[in-house]
């Protein structure tokens, strides 16, 4: 399945500044809708393994609902002192009303 995009949702399924988790190719992937577009990251905080779904989205950042750890949705970089391990990020694109995600993590993401 390497390099293939999979339809995950419709644009209308995820409101702006909201997120929704999907299992794609066996991976728990969180799709976030921001003013700058859609982003796909792993749905698990690297601090204490809490799911990120439901965390607040501000700009292009998501905050973990458990301890408030902040992550960049663009590249998974953590901001703060609770963890230095980034989130895995996934290629995402919108075609018409379809949100498509490639379940292969982007280069530079943790293994």
């Amino acid at each position: 399945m390497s390099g293939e995009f999979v339809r995950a949702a419709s644009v209308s399924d995820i409101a702006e500044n909201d997120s929704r988790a999907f299992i794609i190719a066996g991976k728990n992937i969180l799709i976030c809708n921001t003013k700058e577009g859609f982003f796909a990251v792993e749905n698990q905080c690297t601090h204490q393994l809490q799911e990120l779904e439901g965390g607040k989205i501000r700009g292009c950042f998501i905050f973990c609902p458990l301890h408030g750890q902040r992550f960049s949705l663009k590249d998974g970089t953590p901001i703060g002192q609770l963890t230095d391990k980034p989130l895995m990020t996934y290629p995402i694109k919108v075609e018409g009303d379809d949100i498509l995600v490639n379940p292969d993590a982007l280069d530079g993401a943790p293994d």
Side-chain angles (χ1 to χ4, degrees):
M1 187 162 209
S2 178
E4 293 183 21
F5 281 83
V6 177
R7 184 187 183 282
S10 295
V11 169
S12 60
D13 291 339
I14 308 170
E16 190 172 293
N17 292 323
D18 203 359
S19 63
R20 190 163 159 204
F22 299 89
I23 302 299
I24 303 170
K27 297 178 183 179
N28 190 353
I29 297 176
L30 186 68
I31 299 176
C32 303
N33 184 358
T34 75
K35 288 182 180 182
E36 292 189 37
F38 289 91
F39 296 90
V41 298
E42 68 179 305
N43 186 29
Q44 187 174 68
C45 178
T46 60
H47 171 232
Q48 287 197 343
L49 310 182
Q50 167 76 28
E51 286 195 353
L52 292 171
E53 185 175 26
K56 291 183 181 182
I57 294 174
R58 297 291 180 262
C60 282
F61 297 93
I62 188 164
F63 293 79
C64 177
L66 185 61
H67 292 120
Q69 174 63 47
R70 181 170 53 148
F71 295 92
S72 167
L73 292 170
K74 292 180 178 181
D75 62 10
T77 301
I79 292 116
Q81 298 180 0
L82 297 178
T83 184
D84 60 0
K85 185 177 179 188
L87 296 175
M88 284 187 278
T89 59
Y90 299 91
I92 188 167
K93 62 184 178 179
V94 175
E95 292 182 351
D97 189 47
D98 294 331
I99 300 171
L100 307 169
V101 176
N102 182 331
D104 295 330
L106 288 168
D107 291 340
D111 293 329

